Amino acid sequence: MENNEEDDLALALQMSLQLTAEQDEAEEAEVQLAISLSLATEEEEREAEDQLLYGPDTNEREEEEQLRLAMVLSLSMQASKSAECEAKPGAVEEEEDCSEQFECPVCLEEMRPPVRIHQCVDGHLLCGLCRENPAILICPICRGKIMGRAVGMEKLARALFGEQK
């Protein structure tokens, strides 16, 4: 009879160990599932954010990046021209180079009076017509908030180009 009890006890211990191993495996599987769901949720959040920012087509994001790089290149070229303008203030032949600083980055038109000039929080300029465009909600260069008119730049444009109506 003792042999039977020992066998039963050994069987019970073996079943208990097997059950514990299965529970550990199940818990590990639950942890792995939770991690994968968490990662999937983060990826879904990124995709949802991209869709909010760029619409359902992710190619728009790539186009925005290309536009941003083009703007950076344009700004670096404008900065070098601006340095030339500052080096030779008042030179009539340099008026053309300085007038490039008054080019709208969206429509590429020169912002001559009486065009209203707007600016973002970082001071990037935008013409009044492009500012009225409902599709342009943020600065096309830095994506900052567009604050309002750049009255000082409008006065500078009047001084540079003359009063035109």
Side-chain angles (χ1 to χ4, degrees), residues 46-47 57 81 85 95 121 132 137 141 149 163:
R46 276 191 227 110
E47 287 176 9
D57 188 6
K81 293 290 184 179
C85 291
E95 182 179 316
V121 293
E132 290 173 7
L137 301 174
I141 297 171
R149 286 182 55 193
E163 193 75 35

Side-chain angles (χ1 to χ4, degrees), residues 120-140:
C120 74
V121 293
D122 287 337
H124 301 122
L125 303 178
L126 187 69
C127 77
L129 292 174
C130 291
R131 176 63 184 113
E132 290 173 7
N133 184 342
I136 301 173
L137 301 174
I138 56 175
C139 175

Side-chain angles (χ1 to χ4, degrees), residues 83-104:
E84 290 175 16
C85 291
E86 291 172 6
K88 302 175 186 175
V92 176
E93 61 273 357
E94 298 296 326
E95 182 179 316
E96 290 177 10
D97 290 336
C98 293
S99 68
E100 288 178 11
Q101 301 304 311
F102 290 91
E103 183 178 86
C104 175

Side-chain angles (χ1 to χ4, degrees), residues 144-164:
K145 180 181 176 187
I146 298 175
M147 291 179 21
R149 286 182 55 193
V151 178
M153 290 303 289
E154 290 176 2
K155 289 179 182 177
L156 187 59
R158 280 194 297 273
L160 182 64
F161 300 117
E163 193 75 35
Q164 298 175 3

Side-chain angles (χ1 to χ4, degrees), residues 10-24:
L11 184 60
L13 182 60
Q14 186 180 9
M15 288 176 64
S16 174
L17 289 174
Q18 188 177 10
L19 184 61
T20 303
E22 289 174 359
Q23 286 175 338
D24 287 345

Side-chain angles (χ1 to χ4, degrees), residues 4-134:
N4 240 357
E5 286 180 15
E6 286 178 10
D7 289 341
D8 288 344
L9 186 58
L11 184 60
L13 182 60
Q14 186 180 9
M15 288 176 64
S16 174
L17 289 174
Q18 188 177 10
L19 184 61
T20 303
E22 289 174 359
Q23 286 175 338
D24 287 345
E25 288 176 12
E27 287 177 3
E28 186 175 332
E30 285 179 23
V31 168
Q32 292 297 327
L33 179 63
I35 290 172
S36 64
L37 286 176
S38 172
L39 292 175
T41 303
E42 289 175 11
E43 183 64 27
E44 288 171 355
E45 286 177 6
R46 276 191 227 110
E47 287 176 9
E49 183 179 321
D50 285 350
Q51 286 185 357
L52 279 175
L53 290 174
Y54 306 107
D57 188 6
T58 55
N59 288 336
E60 290 181 27
R61 185 176 196 170
E62 294 169 2
E63 290 173 9
E64 290 242 348
E65 182 65 17
Q66 289 175 349
L67 177 63
R68 187 187 67 77
L69 291 174
M71 291 293 185
V72 168
L73 179 61
S74 172
L75 285 176
S76 66
M77 291 171 53
Q78 286 180 359
S80 66
K81 293 290 184 179
S82 178
E84 290 175 16
C85 291
E86 291 172 6
K88 302 175 186 175
V92 176
E93 61 273 357
E94 298 296 326
E95 182 179 316
E96 290 177 10
D97 290 336
C98 293
S99 68
E100 288 178 11
Q101 301 304 311
F102 290 91
E103 183 178 86
C104 175
V106 177
C107 65
L108 304 177
E109 293 291 324
E110 196 170 63
M111 294 182 280
R112 289 179 168 264
V115 171
R116 291 184 177 198
I117 301 174
H118 295 263
Q119 68 180 357
C120 74
V121 293
D122 287 337
H124 301 122
L125 303 178
L126 187 69
C127 77
L129 292 174
C130 291
R131 176 63 184 113
E132 290 173 7
N133 184 342

